[in-house]
Amino acid sequence: MSEVQSGQAEIKKYQEYSLNVDPEQDDKATEIKLLSFKRPHMRAFHCSWFCFFIAFFIWFAIAPLLPEVKITLDLTKHEIWTSNICSVFGTIFLRFVNGPICDKYGPRIPMGFILAFASIPCALTGLVNSATSLAVIRFFIGFGGSTFVMCQYWTSRMFTKEVVGTANALVGGWGNLGGGVTQLVMGSVLFPLFKTGMSAEQAWRTVCIVPACVGMMTGITILKISEDAPKGNYNEMKKNGTMAQVSAGGSFRAGAANFNTWLLFVQYACCFGVELTMNNAAASYFKSTFELSTEAAAAIASIFGWMNLFARGVGGFVSDKANARMGMRGRLWWQTICLAIEGIMVFIFANTNSLGLAIFIMVIFSSFVQAAEGSSYGIVPYVNPPVTGSIAGIVGAGGNTGAVCFGLGFRQLETKQAFYLMASCIVASGILSLFINIKGHAGLISGQDSEEAITAWKKMGAAGAGGATLTVPEPDAEAAQEVEKTASKDEYNEFLEVIGSKKDVTK
């Protein structure tokens, strides 16, 4: 396994790492080994996506059960959509706030605190008895959605700019996967299971205790098993003098003053905002349009979220590869293409009357939604690197703002008209890429990269020709030595061939 020996003069928690790192970028990793869980880089990577995954489990636990809630409480379509809007509105303010908090305190503490907090109203879901109480409790559960900021900040803090698009996309996508898994687990597994021993009303009132318990345990555990940054936790780094004190207010002002931040805010509203809207609407849409049972509609709706297993990661990976060939211009072109195809697919989905074809179109539609999300956060770390936390928070809030706006559309308009409105906004947002101009980088069709930027992306392109951003860990050296001691010559050479070693052994 390759290790990087660090200088002894600087005080930091780890003097060597299991990944290759760039000392000029604060010991951030230059590679991603997906099957490694070693501290600090890959431990933070896996903690990041898992926490966001659990946040989705809490956040949308009740969504696939809303048809049952509607029957029990005799709610109207407007009242259901009001609760959907409240569930995504609750996290907007926190997404703005969490960015500066991350810049000041690191991602670990706010991640654990918010997961634990959101678990409390989730556990109380069974107490709702009116449209108002449903909206209020979903508002507070929605705070869990703000963990996205910590999720993206964490990997931005652990991985270099050359591979951060892939890292951010993978953790964001695997976290978002919680939306699809929740539809399936809550609507098609836990709800029917609970119904075997109680009525449908008793089942939906008690089943949300499960995600609440998981969320609380995760929030507490995360504080103990990971670090904020490659060199340690923020409080330790400040005491050691390896990190300067940061003003949360100053960080937010710098991020908010950058025009590119708000262009990305709008574009993210038209991808992640769309995903949140579909998480709330898909099960009810399939049940009413195609006359399906609650369990079947939830299972089909979960497919939208399952695309996160690969699509967001692919979006970030392609963004990194486009950057290696064309610099920022490559990232912007990929972003624009994803948004354009996403918008077109929404138009087609809204006019599909066949269940099988609707599912097929939804798979394509969802894939480009997730890819656009991954592409967006391949751009974010470049906007103003010292205040990445604040920018990530503002752009992330755009996703929830988009969900609120689209939710209002579905609340006030006929379903097909609401889809048309959403599709039009998505296509229009792609045009905004023309106006994104990041200092030192070329724009979509104008401007030039600085010499420093050109050197960086050409270096990345050269490295990509002979290596890979994503790898799996090399076999443990001790395991290889043990095989060498106990195996015959032919067995050991076969072992080396399997693991790809070039070493030749003669006994």
Side-chain angles (χ1 to χ4, degrees), residues 347-386:
F347 276 119
I348 297 174
F349 180 76
N351 288 283
T352 302
N353 297 318
S354 163
L355 177 60
L357 185 58
I359 294 172
F360 175 73
I361 296 298
M362 185 178 70
V363 168
I364 302 174
F365 160 35
S366 176
S367 295
F368 281 94
V369 169
Q370 330 300 350
E373 293 167 7
S375 175
S376 296
Y377 274 82
I379 299 170
V380 164
Y382 288 83
V383 177
N384 189 348

Side-chain angles (χ1 to χ4, degrees), residues 57-63 65-66 69 73 118-130 133-142 186 201-212:
F57 192 31
I58 298 168
W59 195 4
F60 290 101
I62 196 63
L65 308 180
L66 285 175
V69 177
L73 302 182
S119 298
I120 298 172
C122 181
L124 299 176
T125 300
L127 300 180
V128 300
N129 55 16
S130 66
S133 59
L134 178 64
V136 170
I137 209 158
R138 294 195 73 192
F139 175 86
F140 287 108
I141 294 172
M186 295 298 292
E201 178 180 351
Q202 290 173 321
W204 75 254
R205 287 187 181 278
T206 55
V207 72
C208 287
I209 294 175
V210 176

